[in-house]
Amino acid sequence: MKKLIGIIMAFFVLFQSIVFATPFNSQNVFNLIKELSNEKYRGRLSGDIGNELACDLVAEKFKRANLIPIGDNKTYFQSFYAFVPFINGKASFKVYDGNKLIKEYVYGTDYKEVIYGLSIGGEVKGKIYSDDSKRGDIFIAIDRPFESNSTYDFDKGLLSKGIKAIIYISDNRMDFKSTYKFQNEYKEGLVKIVLDNKYFDEILKFQKKGYTFVIKSPLEFKKVKTKNVVAMKRALKKEGYPLIFTAHIDHVGFDAINRIYPGALDNASGVAFLVELANFFKDKYTSRDIIFVAFNAEEEGLLGSYYFVNHSPVPLENAECINFDMIGTKKDIPLTALKSVYSLNRSDSIDAFLNSHKLGRSYEDNSDHVPFNLKNISAVTFIHDDTDKIHTPYDTIENISVDKINEAFLVVDDFLKARKVFIEKSEIIENRYVVYMLTSIFLIVFVFIYSSVSKKEKTIS
């Protein structure tokens, strides 16, 4: 009897799933953003334990959405290596007259470490370099530091002069953090900090008095094993090329005073949107394979997406990709389509759809659409381009809007309808009235059989 009940209930669940497919729930997206930006994920820096926890969570979400793992050894993970700047330990910047402490600057307010160029961690004690005397261990640079070939060349020149550290004077925010780095290993380098330019005159005064400067940077440039989270929904009957939905799961981690950079908008939002999209597909039938990827090491230079495109576990030829990066800001900023500068004068299969929705267009190579474009795969990033708080400790769940998340989904839903991704239920079962009828019949049969069996059992007893 129990077996009979199980069979009937299984049929009931099947028919219910056909009629009542899972809707997209923007509140679920909000809740997952809140989770991924929690302190326990430590800012999701690639190679850090917090990032690993986030990857495990997304893999579990993909599994619950019935996606097929397409990663290494039939797992949800595709591993690769990356060089990532870590902060290990404390930072300090002090000025001495002999053994007497003249001033100690405040980390994260007055100064912070610099990761660009030939930057290394360590401690340097010495005088400010003077062009007149050609002496000193510490060089003052009046510019904004950034990662470029010219920065590396400049650093090599300083090293050849015996310089051991650089103080950059800048008006940069001291709570802004980036981990973008060229993927080149190096051993020799300079200890680097950036100091608020309001202290420039003070530093020059200390230099003239011959004071000693002590700079300590906690930077450690490490080669780590990290991973993309990769999965697929297989088409019921394949009638088109694959669609790829992506977002980057990593952020910039934490600083030397253990402030977490939550990365709610950038880019817990994109990953949470991706996960809910996978749930949306769960009970539906598709005419194309749908690939879902949460990339890692985007912040270090789109490393995960480059690796995926060049080592894809499934064919990508003629595919289309929509990447989600910063979805759902509370600010009145419209959804924008980012495309690569490499596609500036080139029309592709997504352009007509973008034009029909009058989405704003921007051409920038700063998100995970770029590696696809370089392989001539039509790709775009959907973004609410609010840069006010990203890469700071203030990119938190309080700045996320459920309504703006839903706004982004409506555009994606229209894209799916334009591509005729979903197989109509009428092709599986004639219509929902038939489903209702069959479900009712099964319930009637169930009641009849149950009653008959119960009577028979009573007669026997």
Side-chain angles (χ1 to χ4, degrees):
M1 185 64 184
K2 288 182 179 179
K3 185 175 181 181
L4 178 62
I5 293 173
I7 293 171
I8 292 173
M9 292 306 296
F11 273 111
F12 180 75
V13 171
L14 171 65
F15 288 127
Q16 290 293 90
S17 69
I18 293 172
V19 176
F20 303 110
T22 305
F24 187 93
N25 188 328
S26 294
Q27 186 62 48
N28 287 347
V29 179
F30 182 91
N31 294 342
L32 188 52
I33 297 170
K34 185 176 182 180
E35 171 65 20
L36 287 170
S37 55
N38 185 285
E39 284 195 356
K40 77 177 181 180
Y41 297 98
R42 292 165 48 91
R44 307 186 307 279
L45 181 68
S46 294
D48 184 65
I49 183 61
N51 183 283
E52 293 286 313
L53 289 173
C55 289
D56 290 345
L57 176 63
V58 170
E60 180 60 29
K61 297 285 187 182
F62 281 174
K63 183 179 180 180
R64 291 180 187 177
N66 296 334
L67 297 183
I68 300 168
I70 57 172
D72 305 334
N73 302 315
K74 297 182 180 179
T75 69
Y76 287 101
F77 303 120
Q78 181 189 45
S79 297
F80 62 97
Y81 288 92
F83 289 105
V84 180
F86 277 73
I87 302 299
N88 286 324
K90 301 295 183 181
S92 61
F93 179 32
K94 302 176 182 178
V95 183
Y96 289 89
D97 179 9
N99 293 321
K100 180 183 178 182
L101 177 65
I102 299 299
K103 180 157 187 174
E104 180 173 1
Y105 293 92
V106 179
Y107 177 87
T109 302
D110 300 334
Y111 78 99
K112 66 175 296 184
E113 74 284 336
V114 171
I115 69 163
Y116 306 123
L118 293 174
S119 184
I120 60 172
E123 182 173 297
V124 171
K125 180 178 181 180
K127 309 283 188 179
I128 297 292
Y129 178 86
S130 168
D131 287 331
D132 296 330
S133 65
K134 305 296 182 184
R135 291 181 181 177
D137 304 294
I138 302 168
F139 190 85
I140 295 180
I142 315 297
D143 62 5
R144 176 179 178 272
F146 59 97
E147 186 78 351
S148 68
N149 288 324
S150 61
T151 299
Y152 282 85
D153 292 339
F154 182 71
D155 290 352
K156 290 174 184 176
L158 291 181
L159 283 171
S160 70
K161 296 179 180 179
I163 299 296
K164 298 176 182 177
I166 303 178
I167 301 172
Y168 290 94
I169 305 296
S170 175
D171 59 359
N172 284 3
R173 289 182 62 163
M174 297 301 157
D175 56 9
F176 181 88
K177 188 173 190 285
S178 171
T179 55
Y180 174 61
K181 283 291 284 182
F182 290 169
Q183 295 297 292
N184 301 317
E185 189 171 17
Y186 57 87
K187 302 296 183 182
E188 188 181 28
L190 300 158
V191 172
K192 297 183 172 190
I193 62 170
V194 58
L195 180 68
D196 193 304
N197 62 4
K198 69 183 180 182
Y199 296 112
F200 181 45
D201 290 339
E202 182 176 78
I203 290 293
L204 293 181
K205 182 180 72 173
F206 292 158
Q207 178 194 22
K208 289 177 180 177
K209 291 186 175 183
Y211 290 167
T212 299
F213 295 77
V214 181
I215 303 170
K216 184 177 181 180
S217 171
L219 179 68
E220 184 179 359
F221 193 36
K222 296 167 60 174
K223 184 178 183 180
V224 301
K225 187 177 183 181
T226 187
K227 57 196 178 188
N228 296 325
V229 189
V230 292
M232 180 174 72
K233 181 178 180 66
R234 201 177 298 283
L236 181 66
K237 55 177 184 178
K238 200 174 296 186
E239 297 176 346
Y241 297 109
L243 292 183
I244 310 167
F245 294 109
T246 66
H248 75 88
I249 194 169
D250 63 301
H251 195 50
V252 298
F254 43 88
D255 64 17
I257 52 175
N258 294 318
R259 283 188 303 187
I260 302 298
Y261 285 63
L265 184 61
D266 184 18
N267 186 38
S269 67
V271 172
F273 192 95
L274 182 72
V275 166
E276 184 60 20
L277 199 58
N279 290 332
F280 176 68
F281 275 88
K282 181 178 180 180
D283 300 318
K284 298 177 177 65
Y285 300 93
T286 65
S287 60
R288 304 171 183 230
D289 289 339
I290 313 296
I291 300 164
F292 296 83
V293 190
F295 296 125
N296 230 311
E298 187 266 1
E299 298 291 358
E300 285 70 49
L302 317 180
L303 304 185
S305 52
Y306 272 112
Y307 189 86
F308 175 81
V309 167
N310 289 297
H311 303 85
S312 176
V314 292
L316 300 182
E317 186 178 3
N318 296 317
E320 293 179 310
C321 173
I322 296 181
N323 179 56
F324 305 107
D325 196 346
M326 297 164 54
I327 298 295
T329 179
K330 275 186 176 178
K331 284 194 171 182
D332 186 19
I333 294 175
L335 190 69
T336 300
L338 283 185
K339 299 193 70 182
S340 170
V341 295
Y342 299 106
S343 63
L344 187 58
N345 298 312
R346 186 178 71 208
S347 180
D348 60 33
S349 60
I350 294 181
D351 279 311
F353 174 79
L354 298 178
N355 292 336
S356 69
H357 276 70
K358 298 180 180 178
L359 283 180
R361 208 79 51 92
S362 181
Y363 293 86
E364 298 180 54
D365 291 336
N366 58 358
S367 196
D368 287 310
H369 58 284
V370 176
F372 292 93
N373 287 157
L374 290 175
K375 288 285 187 179
N376 291 318
I377 298 169
S378 183
V380 65
T381 290
F382 283 173
I383 184 172
H384 287 120
D385 202 4
D386 175 11
T387 60
D388 183 44
K389 294 182 176 66
I390 63 168
H391 288 235
T392 75
Y394 312 109
D395 180 8
T396 61
I397 188 64
E398 287 75 20
N399 304 306
I400 300 295
S401 162
V402 171
D403 290 339
K404 296 295 281 292
I405 293 168
N406 197 54
E407 170 192 296
F409 170 70
L410 293 176
V411 177
V412 174
D413 192 38
D414 283 349
F415 175 81
L416 296 172
K417 290 173 182 175
R419 294 301 184 266
K420 299 180 179 178
V421 169
F422 298 116
I423 297 174
E424 294 296 327
K425 293 186 180 71
S426 59
E427 296 181 40
I428 304 166
I429 294 180
E430 185 62 31
N431 56 52
R432 68 177 57 200
Y433 297 108
V434 173
V435 177
Y436 288 138
M437 182 181 70
L438 290 174
T439 303
S440 300
I441 290 171
F442 273 111
L443 286 173
I444 292 168
V445 170
F446 168 73
V447 172
F448 176 77
I449 294 174
Y450 181 79
S451 298
S452 299
V453 172
S454 296
K455 287 179 182 179
K456 192 173 183 180
E457 288 176 347
K458 287 179 180 179
T459 302
I460 293 173
S461 62

